[in-house]
Amino acid sequence: MITTASPAPPAPPAPSIRPLRLRLAPHSALPRRLDGVWWPRSYDLLVELPQLLSALPRAWGHIAGVTVNGAAWSAAPGRMLVANQVVRLRKTVAAHAPDTVVLLAPGHGRWDLLVVPPDTTEEAAEPLMTAVLGASA
């Protein structure tokens, strides 16, 4: 008796990785208010943060702490593992900086990014991203 195996079903398509929407200010010896602009696709830190941290310059070192405005972001644990390193997450309700994320790297520094709300249209976000970096330099 001859049996033939039916062909294996096609593998599901790999999830598409959408490009990170991040613009960083050029390196400068002078301090600045904002070091970049980040336009996440959602307010889910567990989804958004790994992609952001993996795209940062190596010179920034290991980001060990992240502070976000607690009013906007979804619930998240106090720590998460990103690229096999622990990152501490902190939420704050800072009226003076409601749309920022602060990245801390011990021994390297602190970087503040403006967060463009995820539901912002491309037409509104692009000029904002460009203007903020021009004004922060």
Side-chain angles (χ1 to χ4, degrees):
M1 179 164 129
I2 299 175
T3 60
T4 57
S6 56
S16 62
I17 297 175
R18 298 183 295 191
L20 181 67
R21 301 180 295 189
L22 173 70
R23 295 212 183 131
L24 299 176
H27 176 72
S28 171
L30 300 173
R32 68 179 95 235
R33 185 176 170 275
L34 292 170
D35 299 291
V37 183
W38 178 39
W39 182 19
R41 298 187 186 279
S42 73
Y43 279 117
D44 185 346
L45 274 178
L46 298 177
V47 170
E48 299 293 339
L49 203 53
Q51 188 179 13
L52 170 65
L53 297 183
S54 69
L56 297 176
R58 290 182 94 90
W60 287 19
H62 164 62
I63 302 298
V66 175
T67 302
V68 297
N69 183 324
W73 294 92
S74 63
R79 289 178 258 194
M80 69 183 287
L81 197 61
V82 177
N84 292 322
Q85 297 196 345
V86 175
V87 177
R88 293 189 183 277
L89 304 177
R90 182 171 172 256
K91 288 185 173 188
T92 184
V93 181
H96 66 282
D99 297 321
T100 58
V101 60
V102 177
L103 309 171
L104 301 171
H108 289 275
R110 166 190 168 142
W111 294 271
D112 293 50
L113 303 179
L114 177 73
V115 176
V116 176
D119 58 354
T120 304
T121 65
E122 189 168 345
E123 294 76 26
E126 283 298 324
L128 177 62
M129 293 179 80
T130 303
V132 167
L133 289 182
S136 69

